[in-house]
Amino acid sequence: MEVEEFNRITLEICEKFDDYKRNIMRDMVIGEVKIIMGINLVEKMIREINPSVIDEKLILDLEFLIDNYKKLNDSKMQCINNYMMLGINLSYNIVSSYVRTRMNTKVRSRKMVGV
């Protein structure tokens, strides 16, 4: 069996997803199975993207994959469960906040070096 190599960024994001899934299971949230399915879907997308740098392109690529997933389900006359959509949206928010936080940290550190 072949072992996939993931970048440090991908692994950090997946750790955040794992923490979030543990919190959902611990809190026994209504619809937790479907929410976790949504989180797992976004996690697979992040692993597929496997970003090597933190930039806005990661968010755009993730949006593209999520939109394609929605269109595929629409074309098959399938709807996405509301709880699963909640998991997808919350996971997207985790990724976008991670990217924006890390980008601001990089910008600040560059400014500090230049001072």
Side-chain angles (χ1 to χ4, degrees), residues 58-104:
L58 172 59
I59 297 172
L60 295 174
D61 290 345
L62 184 58
E63 282 179 9
F64 177 76
L65 290 174
I66 291 171
D67 286 341
N68 280 346
Y69 179 78
K70 290 178 189 175
K71 288 177 187 175
L72 179 65
N73 278 354
D74 287 343
S75 69
K76 292 181 177 180
M77 304 290 265
Q78 297 174 343
C79 65
I80 299 173
N81 181 304
N82 288 334
Y83 292 114
M84 185 171 179
M85 197 65 220
L86 177 66
I88 291 169
N89 289 334
L90 293 173
S91 299
Y92 172 79
N93 289 337
I94 289 171
V95 173
S96 64
S97 65
Y98 172 81
V99 168
R100 291 195 171 95
T101 302
R102 292 292 301 266
M103 285 178 63
N104 285 339

mmCIF file of all heavy atoms in Angstrom, residues 58-104:
data_model
loop_
_atom_site.group_PDB
_atom_site.id
_atom_site.type_symbol
_atom_site.label_atom_id
_atom_site.label_comp_id
_atom_site.label_asym_id
_atom_site.label_seq_id
_atom_site.Cartn_x
_atom_site.Cartn_y
_atom_site.Cartn_z
ATOM 1 N N LEU A 58 -5.448 28.701 -1.836
ATOM 2 C CA LEU A 58 -5.976 27.550 -1.097
ATOM 3 C C LEU A 58 -7.474 27.710 -0.859
ATOM 4 O O LEU A 58 -8.250 26.780 -1.086
ATOM 5 C CB LEU A 58 -5.240 27.401 0.241
ATOM 6 C CG LEU A 58 -5.795 26.370 1.227
ATOM 7 C CD1 LEU A 58 -5.817 24.988 0.616
ATOM 8 C CD2 LEU A 58 -4.990 26.384 2.502
ATOM 9 N N ILE A 59 -7.889 28.898 -0.454
ATOM 10 C CA ILE A 59 -9.307 29.147 -0.221
ATOM 11 C C ILE A 59 -10.092 29.055 -1.524
ATOM 12 O O ILE A 59 -11.174 28.462 -1.574
ATOM 13 C CB ILE A 59 -9.508 30.527 0.454
ATOM 14 C CG1 ILE A 59 -8.845 30.527 1.833
ATOM 15 C CG2 ILE A 59 -10.983 30.871 0.574
ATOM 16 C CD1 ILE A 59 -8.812 31.872 2.497
ATOM 17 N N LEU A 60 -9.546 29.627 -2.589
ATOM 18 C CA LEU A 60 -10.234 29.585 -3.887
ATOM 19 C C LEU A 60 -10.348 28.161 -4.409
ATOM 20 O O LEU A 60 -11.395 27.766 -4.948
ATOM 21 C CB LEU A 60 -9.499 30.470 -4.898
ATOM 22 C CG LEU A 60 -9.490 31.968 -4.580
ATOM 23 C CD1 LEU A 60 -8.617 32.724 -5.576
ATOM 24 C CD2 LEU A 60 -10.903 32.524 -4.562
ATOM 25 N N ASP A 61 -9.287 27.368 -4.265
ATOM 26 C CA ASP A 61 -9.335 25.972 -4.702
ATOM 27 C C ASP A 61 -10.370 25.181 -3.909
ATOM 28 O O ASP A 61 -11.105 24.369 -4.468
ATOM 29 C CB ASP A 61 -7.963 25.307 -4.558
ATOM 30 C CG ASP A 61 -6.948 25.819 -5.555
ATOM 31 O OD1 ASP A 61 -7.349 26.466 -6.547
ATOM 32 O OD2 ASP A 61 -5.741 25.571 -5.353
ATOM 33 N N LEU A 62 -10.435 25.433 -2.615
ATOM 34 C CA LEU A 62 -11.404 24.743 -1.771
ATOM 35 C C LEU A 62 -12.831 25.132 -2.163
ATOM 36 O O LEU A 62 -13.708 24.276 -2.264
ATOM 37 C CB LEU A 62 -11.141 25.044 -0.300
ATOM 38 C CG LEU A 62 -12.013 24.306 0.701
ATOM 39 C CD1 LEU A 62 -11.883 22.789 0.537
ATOM 40 C CD2 LEU A 62 -11.648 24.708 2.117
ATOM 41 N N GLU A 63 -13.063 26.422 -2.409
ATOM 42 C CA GLU A 63 -14.385 26.871 -2.868
ATOM 43 C C GLU A 63 -14.769 26.176 -4.167
ATOM 44 O O GLU A 63 -15.905 25.750 -4.333
ATOM 45 C CB GLU A 63 -14.389 28.383 -3.088
ATOM 46 C CG GLU A 63 -14.491 29.198 -1.847
ATOM 47 C CD GLU A 63 -14.454 30.696 -2.138
ATOM 48 O OE1 GLU A 63 -14.517 31.093 -3.329
ATOM 49 O OE2 GLU A 63 -14.373 31.461 -1.180
ATOM 50 N N PHE A 64 -13.817 26.073 -5.083
ATOM 51 C CA PHE A 64 -14.059 25.423 -6.372
ATOM 52 C C PHE A 64 -14.467 23.965 -6.178
ATOM 53 O O PHE A 64 -15.443 23.497 -6.775
ATOM 54 C CB PHE A 64 -12.796 25.524 -7.242
ATOM 55 C CG PHE A 64 -12.911 24.823 -8.551
ATOM 56 C CD1 PHE A 64 -13.637 25.375 -9.590
ATOM 57 C CD2 PHE A 64 -12.279 23.596 -8.750
ATOM 58 C CE1 PHE A 64 -13.741 24.716 -10.818
ATOM 59 C CE2 PHE A 64 -12.377 22.931 -9.959
ATOM 60 C CZ PHE A 64 -13.116 23.494 -11.000
ATOM 61 N N LEU A 65 -13.753 23.244 -5.336
ATOM 62 C CA LEU A 65 -14.071 21.830 -5.106
ATOM 63 C C LEU A 65 -15.432 21.658 -4.420
ATOM 64 O O LEU A 65 -16.194 20.749 -4.768
ATOM 65 C CB LEU A 65 -12.968 21.167 -4.282
ATOM 66 C CG LEU A 65 -11.631 20.965 -4.993
ATOM 67 C CD1 LEU A 65 -10.587 20.424 -4.027
ATOM 68 C CD2 LEU A 65 -11.786 20.038 -6.177
ATOM 69 N N ILE A 66 -15.730 22.525 -3.470
ATOM 70 C CA ILE A 66 -17.027 22.439 -2.795
ATOM 71 C C ILE A 66 -18.163 22.731 -3.772
ATOM 72 O O ILE A 66 -19.178 22.030 -3.794
ATOM 73 C CB ILE A 66 -17.081 23.385 -1.579
ATOM 74 C CG1 ILE A 66 -16.144 22.869 -0.475
ATOM 75 C CG2 ILE A 66 -18.500 23.523 -1.045
ATOM 76 C CD1 ILE A 66 -15.964 23.828 0.682
ATOM 77 N N ASP A 67 -17.987 23.760 -4.600
ATOM 78 C CA ASP A 67 -19.017 24.079 -5.598
ATOM 79 C C ASP A 67 -19.214 22.931 -6.576
ATOM 80 O O ASP A 67 -20.349 22.611 -6.946
ATOM 81 C CB ASP A 67 -18.659 25.351 -6.356
ATOM 82 C CG ASP A 67 -18.851 26.603 -5.513
ATOM 83 O OD1 ASP A 67 -19.589 26.527 -4.509
ATOM 84 O OD2 ASP A 67 -18.269 27.647 -5.864
ATOM 85 N N ASN A 68 -18.122 22.305 -6.998
ATOM 86 C CA ASN A 68 -18.240 21.162 -7.904
ATOM 87 C C ASN A 68 -18.964 19.994 -7.239
ATOM 88 O O ASN A 68 -19.750 19.301 -7.892
ATOM 89 C CB ASN A 68 -16.870 20.705 -8.402
ATOM 90 C CG ASN A 68 -16.358 21.566 -9.521
ATOM 91 O OD1 ASN A 68 -17.101 22.340 -10.121
ATOM 92 N ND2 ASN A 68 -15.076 21.456 -9.808
ATOM 93 N N TYR A 69 -18.708 19.781 -5.965
ATOM 94 C CA TYR A 69 -19.397 18.716 -5.234
ATOM 95 C C TYR A 69 -20.895 18.991 -5.185
ATOM 96 O O TYR A 69 -21.707 18.092 -5.405
ATOM 97 C CB TYR A 69 -18.822 18.590 -3.818
ATOM 98 C CG TYR A 69 -19.492 17.524 -2.996
ATOM 99 C CD1 TYR A 69 -19.180 16.181 -3.191
ATOM 100 C CD2 TYR A 69 -20.450 17.849 -2.046
ATOM 101 C CE1 TYR A 69 -19.806 15.191 -2.453
ATOM 102 C CE2 TYR A 69 -21.072 16.872 -1.296
ATOM 103 C CZ TYR A 69 -20.751 15.542 -1.508
ATOM 104 O OH TYR A 69 -21.386 14.569 -0.783
ATOM 105 N N LYS A 70 -21.269 20.250 -4.914
ATOM 106 C CA LYS A 70 -22.686 20.616 -4.881
ATOM 107 C C LYS A 70 -23.337 20.421 -6.249
ATOM 108 O O LYS A 70 -24.448 19.896 -6.347
ATOM 109 C CB LYS A 70 -22.852 22.065 -4.436
ATOM 110 C CG LYS A 70 -22.529 22.307 -2.987
ATOM 111 C CD LYS A 70 -22.693 23.784 -2.681
ATOM 112 C CE LYS A 70 -22.201 24.150 -1.324
ATOM 113 N NZ LYS A 70 -22.261 25.608 -1.081
ATOM 114 N N LYS A 71 -22.651 20.846 -7.311
ATOM 115 C CA LYS A 71 -23.196 20.697 -8.666
ATOM 116 C C LYS A 71 -23.347 19.229 -9.039
ATOM 117 O O LYS A 71 -24.320 18.840 -9.688
ATOM 118 C CB LYS A 71 -22.293 21.402 -9.684
ATOM 119 C CG LYS A 71 -22.368 22.900 -9.612
ATOM 120 C CD LYS A 71 -21.404 23.544 -10.582
ATOM 121 C CE LYS A 71 -21.356 25.041 -10.389
ATOM 122 N NZ LYS A 71 -20.338 25.674 -11.241
ATOM 123 N N LEU A 72 -22.387 18.412 -8.650
ATOM 124 C CA LEU A 72 -22.460 16.979 -8.932
ATOM 125 C C LEU A 72 -23.678 16.364 -8.251
ATOM 126 O O LEU A 72 -24.411 15.584 -8.863
ATOM 127 C CB LEU A 72 -21.185 16.280 -8.468
ATOM 128 C CG LEU A 72 -21.114 14.775 -8.677
ATOM 129 C CD1 LEU A 72 -21.110 14.453 -10.167
ATOM 130 C CD2 LEU A 72 -19.878 14.206 -8.014
ATOM 131 N N ASN A 73 -23.912 16.728 -7.000
ATOM 132 C CA ASN A 73 -25.085 16.214 -6.295
ATOM 133 C C ASN A 73 -26.374 16.710 -6.927
ATOM 134 O O ASN A 73 -27.348 15.967 -7.024
ATOM 135 C CB ASN A 73 -25.050 16.595 -4.814
ATOM 136 C CG ASN A 73 -24.192 15.646 -4.021
ATOM 137 O OD1 ASN A 73 -23.712 14.648 -4.532
ATOM 138 N ND2 ASN A 73 -23.986 15.971 -2.765
ATOM 139 N N ASP A 74 -26.397 17.978 -7.367
ATOM 140 C CA ASP A 74 -27.587 18.508 -8.030
ATOM 141 C C ASP A 74 -27.865 17.776 -9.337
ATOM 142 O O ASP A 74 -29.013 17.488 -9.653
ATOM 143 C CB ASP A 74 -27.444 20.012 -8.301
ATOM 144 C CG ASP A 74 -27.569 20.846 -7.035
ATOM 145 O OD1 ASP A 74 -28.084 20.318 -6.028
ATOM 146 O OD2 ASP A 74 -27.143 22.021 -7.057
ATOM 147 N N SER A 75 -26.808 17.472 -10.081
ATOM 148 C CA SER A 75 -27.004 16.781 -11.359
ATOM 149 C C SER A 75 -27.499 15.354 -11.155
ATOM 150 O O SER A 75 -28.173 14.801 -12.019
ATOM 151 C CB SER A 75 -25.711 16.775 -12.177
ATOM 152 O OG SER A 75 -24.739 15.950 -11.569
ATOM 153 N N LYS A 76 -27.185 14.764 -10.015
ATOM 154 C CA LYS A 76 -27.657 13.411 -9.702
ATOM 155 C C LYS A 76 -29.009 13.439 -8.990
ATOM 156 O O LYS A 76 -29.486 12.401 -8.548
ATOM 157 C CB LYS A 76 -26.648 12.686 -8.804
ATOM 158 C CG LYS A 76 -25.347 12.359 -9.471
ATOM 159 C CD LYS A 76 -24.455 11.635 -8.487
ATOM 160 C CE LYS A 76 -23.151 11.220 -9.105
ATOM 161 N NZ LYS A 76 -22.304 10.511 -8.131
ATOM 162 N N MET A 77 -29.598 14.650 -8.870
ATOM 163 C CA MET A 77 -30.883 14.828 -8.186
ATOM 164 C C MET A 77 -30.785 14.405 -6.721
ATOM 165 O O MET A 77 -31.721 13.863 -6.156
ATOM 166 C CB MET A 77 -31.997 14.048 -8.883
ATOM 167 C CG MET A 77 -32.171 14.392 -10.330
ATOM 168 S SD MET A 77 -32.842 16.017 -10.535
ATOM 169 C CE MET A 77 -34.567 15.620 -10.671
ATOM 170 N N GLN A 78 -29.624 14.632 -6.112
ATOM 171 C CA GLN A 78 -29.432 14.338 -4.699
ATOM 172 C C GLN A 78 -29.286 15.658 -3.955
ATOM 173 O O GLN A 78 -28.734 16.621 -4.483
ATOM 174 C CB GLN A 78 -28.167 13.511 -4.474
ATOM 175 C CG GLN A 78 -28.190 12.162 -5.124
ATOM 176 C CD GLN A 78 -26.846 11.453 -4.995
ATOM 177 O OE1 GLN A 78 -25.840 12.080 -4.712
ATOM 178 N NE2 GLN A 78 -26.857 10.158 -5.221
ATOM 179 N N CYS A 79 -29.777 15.706 -2.761
ATOM 180 C CA CYS A 79 -29.589 16.911 -1.966
ATOM 181 C C CYS A 79 -28.628 16.605 -0.819
ATOM 182 O O CYS A 79 -28.503 15.469 -0.389
ATOM 183 C CB CYS A 79 -30.914 17.447 -1.440
ATOM 184 S SG CYS A 79 -31.726 16.363 -0.280
ATOM 185 N N ILE A 80 -27.963 17.646 -0.382
ATOM 186 C CA ILE A 80 -27.031 17.499 0.724
ATOM 187 C C ILE A 80 -27.802 17.774 2.014
ATOM 188 O O ILE A 80 -28.495 18.785 2.132
ATOM 189 C CB ILE A 80 -25.859 18.489 0.575
ATOM 190 C CG1 ILE A 80 -25.103 18.218 -0.720
ATOM 191 C CG2 ILE A 80 -24.913 18.390 1.765
ATOM 192 C CD1 ILE A 80 -24.032 19.239 -1.034
ATOM 193 N N ASN A 81 -27.683 16.883 2.963
ATOM 194 C CA ASN A 81 -28.326 17.031 4.265
ATOM 195 C C ASN A 81 -27.882 18.351 4.900
ATOM 196 O O ASN A 81 -26.733 18.760 4.765
ATOM 197 C CB ASN A 81 -27.909 15.834 5.132
ATOM 198 C CG ASN A 81 -28.519 15.837 6.487
ATOM 199 O OD1 ASN A 81 -28.379 16.784 7.242
ATOM 200 N ND2 ASN A 81 -29.190 14.741 6.811
ATOM 201 N N ASN A 82 -28.801 19.022 5.600
ATOM 202 C CA ASN A 82 -28.475 20.310 6.232
ATOM 203 C C ASN A 82 -27.333 20.194 7.228
ATOM 204 O O ASN A 82 -26.501 21.100 7.344
ATOM 205 C CB ASN A 82 -29.701 20.890 6.930
ATOM 206 C CG ASN A 82 -30.725 21.404 5.946
ATOM 207 O OD1 ASN A 82 -30.392 21.773 4.835
ATOM 208 N ND2 ASN A 82 -31.975 21.426 6.368
ATOM 209 N N TYR A 83 -27.279 19.096 7.965
ATOM 210 C CA TYR A 83 -26.194 18.916 8.925
ATOM 211 C C TYR A 83 -24.859 18.699 8.213
ATOM 212 O O TYR A 83 -23.827 19.200 8.657
ATOM 213 C CB TYR A 83 -26.495 17.736 9.856
ATOM 214 C CG TYR A 83 -27.651 18.002 10.783
ATOM 215 C CD1 TYR A 83 -28.828 17.279 10.683
ATOM 216 C CD2 TYR A 83 -27.568 18.990 11.755
ATOM 217 C CE1 TYR A 83 -29.896 17.529 11.531
ATOM 218 C CE2 TYR A 83 -28.627 19.251 12.616
ATOM 219 C CZ TYR A 83 -29.791 18.519 12.496
ATOM 220 O OH TYR A 83 -30.840 18.772 13.332
ATOM 221 N N MET A 84 -24.886 17.977 7.109
ATOM 222 C CA MET A 84 -23.659 17.786 6.346
ATOM 223 C C MET A 84 -23.190 19.122 5.767
ATOM 224 O O MET A 84 -21.998 19.428 5.780
ATOM 225 C CB MET A 84 -23.867 16.766 5.229
ATOM 226 C CG MET A 84 -22.610 16.426 4.484
ATOM 227 S SD MET A 84 -22.895 15.050 3.374
ATOM 228 C CE MET A 84 -21.302 14.896 2.625
ATOM 229 N N MET A 85 -24.134 19.934 5.293
ATOM 230 C CA MET A 85 -23.782 21.251 4.772
ATOM 231 C C MET A 85 -23.200 22.123 5.876
ATOM 232 O O MET A 85 -22.266 22.891 5.644
ATOM 233 C CB MET A 85 -25.029 21.902 4.162
ATOM 234 C CG MET A 85 -24.737 23.042 3.253
ATOM 235 S SD MET A 85 -23.851 22.440 1.809
ATOM 236 C CE MET A 85 -22.693 23.752 1.616
ATOM 237 N N LEU A 86 -23.728 21.980 7.089
ATOM 238 C CA LEU A 86 -23.175 22.702 8.237
ATOM 239 C C LEU A 86 -21.718 22.297 8.468
ATOM 240 O O LEU A 86 -20.847 23.153 8.671
ATOM 241 C CB LEU A 86 -24.003 22.431 9.493
ATOM 242 C CG LEU A 86 -23.504 23.065 10.786
ATOM 243 C CD1 LEU A 86 -23.589 24.579 10.703
ATOM 244 C CD2 LEU A 86 -24.288 22.547 11.970
ATOM 245 N N GLY A 87 -21.426 21.000 8.409
ATOM 246 C CA GLY A 87 -20.057 20.523 8.575
ATOM 247 C C GLY A 87 -19.136 21.049 7.490
ATOM 248 O O GLY A 87 -17.989 21.437 7.754
ATOM 249 N N ILE A 88 -19.634 21.106 6.250
ATOM 250 C CA ILE A 88 -18.843 21.636 5.134
ATOM 251 C C ILE A 88 -18.545 23.113 5.367
ATOM 252 O O ILE A 88 -17.405 23.563 5.230
ATOM 253 C CB ILE A 88 -19.574 21.414 3.796
ATOM 254 C CG1 ILE A 88 -19.612 19.925 3.453
ATOM 255 C CG2 ILE A 88 -18.923 22.212 2.671
ATOM 256 C CD1 ILE A 88 -20.527 19.569 2.289
ATOM 257 N N ASN A 89 -19.579 23.873 5.722
ATOM 258 C CA ASN A 89 -19.398 25.316 5.929
ATOM 259 C C ASN A 89 -18.476 25.621 7.104
ATOM 260 O O ASN A 89 -17.620 26.509 7.024
ATOM 261 C CB ASN A 89 -20.746 25.998 6.132
ATOM 262 C CG ASN A 89 -21.562 26.045 4.860
ATOM 263 O OD1 ASN A 89 -21.031 26.017 3.767
ATOM 264 N ND2 ASN A 89 -22.867 26.096 5.019
ATOM 265 N N LEU A 90 -18.644 24.897 8.200
ATOM 266 C CA LEU A 90 -17.780 25.125 9.354
ATOM 267 C C LEU A 90 -16.326 24.759 9.043
ATOM 268 O O LEU A 90 -15.399 25.456 9.455
ATOM 269 C CB LEU A 90 -18.285 24.342 10.560
ATOM 270 C CG LEU A 90 -19.633 24.808 11.123
ATOM 271 C CD1 LEU A 90 -20.117 23.845 12.210
ATOM 272 C CD2 LEU A 90 -19.548 26.218 11.658
ATOM 273 N N SER A 91 -16.121 23.698 8.297
ATOM 274 C CA SER A 91 -14.763 23.301 7.906
ATOM 275 C C SER A 91 -14.138 24.337 6.986
ATOM 276 O O SER A 91 -12.957 24.665 7.106
ATOM 277 C CB SER A 91 -14.792 21.942 7.210
ATOM 278 O OG SER A 91 -15.295 20.971 8.066
ATOM 279 N N TYR A 92 -14.937 24.848 6.061
ATOM 280 C CA TYR A 92 -14.453 25.910 5.176
ATOM 281 C C TYR A 92 -14.022 27.118 6.001
ATOM 282 O O TYR A 92 -12.976 27.722 5.743
ATOM 283 C CB TYR A 92 -15.531 26.293 4.164
ATOM 284 C CG TYR A 92 -15.175 27.498 3.346
ATOM 285 C CD1 TYR A 92 -14.309 27.392 2.261
ATOM 286 C CD2 TYR A 92 -15.666 28.759 3.675
ATOM 287 C CE1 TYR A 92 -13.957 28.510 1.528
ATOM 288 C CE2 TYR A 92 -15.322 29.870 2.950
ATOM 289 C CZ TYR A 92 -14.467 29.741 1.872
ATOM 290 O OH TYR A 92 -14.110 30.853 1.147
ATOM 291 N N ASN A 93 -14.825 27.471 7.010
ATOM 292 C CA ASN A 93 -14.484 28.607 7.869
ATOM 293 C C ASN A 93 -13.202 28.351 8.657
ATOM 294 O O ASN A 93 -12.413 29.275 8.872
ATOM 295 C CB ASN A 93 -15.634 28.928 8.818
ATOM 296 C CG ASN A 93 -16.814 29.527 8.097
ATOM 297 O OD1 ASN A 93 -16.677 30.082 7.016
ATOM 298 N ND2 ASN A 93 -17.984 29.397 8.696
ATOM 299 N N ILE A 94 -12.996 27.121 9.086
ATOM 300 C CA ILE A 94 -11.757 26.774 9.793
ATOM 301 C C ILE A 94 -10.553 27.001 8.881
ATOM 302 O O ILE A 94 -9.550 27.596 9.280
ATOM 303 C CB ILE A 94 -11.797 25.313 10.291
ATOM 304 C CG1 ILE A 94 -12.775 25.171 11.449
ATOM 305 C CG2 ILE A 94 -10.400 24.827 10.704
ATOM 306 C CD1 ILE A 94 -13.053 23.735 11.869
ATOM 307 N N VAL A 95 -10.657 26.540 7.641
ATOM 308 C CA VAL A 95 -9.544 26.692 6.692
ATOM 309 C C VAL A 95 -9.304 28.164 6.386
ATOM 310 O O VAL A 95 -8.160 28.633 6.404
ATOM 311 C CB VAL A 95 -9.805 25.896 5.388
ATOM 312 C CG1 VAL A 95 -8.743 26.187 4.354
ATOM 313 C CG2 VAL A 95 -9.868 24.413 5.677
ATOM 314 N N SER A 96 -10.369 28.909 6.096
ATOM 315 C CA SER A 96 -10.173 30.311 5.731
ATOM 316 C C SER A 96 -9.610 31.126 6.897
ATOM 317 O O SER A 96 -8.744 31.981 6.693
ATOM 318 C CB SER A 96 -11.469 30.924 5.209
ATOM 319 O OG SER A 96 -12.449 30.944 6.197
ATOM 320 N N SER A 97 -10.063 30.858 8.122
ATOM 321 C CA SER A 97 -9.496 31.595 9.258
ATOM 322 C C SER A 97 -8.048 31.194 9.506
ATOM 323 O O SER A 97 -7.215 32.036 9.856
ATOM 324 C CB SER A 97 -10.331 31.386 10.516
ATOM 325 O OG SER A 97 -10.287 30.051 10.927
ATOM 326 N N TYR A 98 -7.716 29.919 9.303
ATOM 327 C CA TYR A 98 -6.334 29.452 9.442
ATOM 328 C C TYR A 98 -5.438 30.182 8.436
ATOM 329 O O TYR A 98 -4.375 30.699 8.791
ATOM 330 C CB TYR A 98 -6.272 27.941 9.216
ATOM 331 C CG TYR A 98 -4.871 27.389 9.147
ATOM 332 C CD1 TYR A 98 -4.150 27.118 10.299
ATOM 333 C CD2 TYR A 98 -4.266 27.136 7.925
ATOM 334 C CE1 TYR A 98 -2.859 26.617 10.234
ATOM 335 C CE2 TYR A 98 -2.985 26.637 7.851
ATOM 336 C CZ TYR A 98 -2.285 26.374 9.006
ATOM 337 O OH TYR A 98 -1.009 25.888 8.926
ATOM 338 N N VAL A 99 -5.889 30.246 7.187
ATOM 339 C CA VAL A 99 -5.086 30.884 6.135
ATOM 340 C C VAL A 99 -4.918 32.368 6.437
ATOM 341 O O VAL A 99 -3.794 32.893 6.375
ATOM 342 C CB VAL A 99 -5.740 30.678 4.747
ATOM 343 C CG1 VAL A 99 -5.098 31.561 3.691
ATOM 344 C CG2 VAL A 99 -5.648 29.217 4.334
ATOM 345 N N ARG A 100 -5.987 33.033 6.769
ATOM 346 C CA ARG A 100 -5.900 34.475 7.018
ATOM 347 C C ARG A 100 -5.044 34.785 8.249
ATOM 348 O O ARG A 100 -4.275 35.748 8.254
ATOM 349 C CB ARG A 100 -7.292 35.060 7.138
ATOM 350 C CG ARG A 100 -7.987 35.027 5.788
ATOM 351 C CD ARG A 100 -9.200 35.896 5.709
ATOM 352 N NE ARG A 100 -9.653 35.952 4.340
ATOM 353 C CZ ARG A 100 -10.603 35.173 3.823
ATOM 354 N NH1 ARG A 100 -11.183 34.271 4.575
ATOM 355 N NH2 ARG A 100 -10.953 35.291 2.551
ATOM 356 N N THR A 101 -5.159 33.978 9.276
ATOM 357 C CA THR A 101 -4.340 34.178 10.469
ATOM 358 C C THR A 101 -2.862 33.982 10.151
ATOM 359 O O THR A 101 -2.019 34.787 10.543
ATOM 360 C CB THR A 101 -4.767 33.201 11.588
ATOM 361 O OG1 THR A 101 -6.136 33.413 11.880
ATOM 362 C CG2 THR A 101 -3.929 33.400 12.836
ATOM 363 N N ARG A 102 -2.552 32.914 9.442
ATOM 364 C CA ARG A 102 -1.151 32.645 9.106
ATOM 365 C C ARG A 102 -0.593 33.693 8.153
ATOM 366 O O ARG A 102 0.578 34.055 8.265
ATOM 367 C CB ARG A 102 -1.020 31.247 8.477
ATOM 368 C CG ARG A 102 -1.302 30.101 9.413
ATOM 369 C CD ARG A 102 -0.245 29.952 10.511
ATOM 370 N NE ARG A 102 1.066 29.735 9.999
ATOM 371 C CZ ARG A 102 1.643 28.557 9.797
ATOM 372 N NH1 ARG A 102 0.998 27.461 10.111
ATOM 373 N NH2 ARG A 102 2.848 28.461 9.308
ATOM 374 N N MET A 103 -1.419 34.180 7.218
ATOM 375 C CA MET A 103 -0.943 35.215 6.290
ATOM 376 C C MET A 103 -0.661 36.506 7.041
ATOM 377 O O MET A 103 0.351 37.169 6.776
ATOM 378 C CB MET A 103 -1.961 35.452 5.178
ATOM 379 C CG MET A 103 -1.976 34.343 4.151
ATOM 380 S SD MET A 103 -3.213 34.578 2.874
ATOM 381 C CE MET A 103 -2.652 36.081 2.116
ATOM 382 N N ASN A 104 -1.492 36.885 8.006
ATOM 383 C CA ASN A 104 -1.255 38.094 8.805
ATOM 384 C C ASN A 104 -0.013 37.947 9.653
ATOM 385 O O ASN A 104 0.734 38.905 9.837
ATOM 386 C CB ASN A 104 -2.464 38.396 9.692
ATOM 387 C CG ASN A 104 -3.617 38.960 8.906
ATOM 388 O OD1 ASN A 104 -3.431 39.489 7.811
ATOM 389 N ND2 ASN A 104 -4.808 38.845 9.453
#
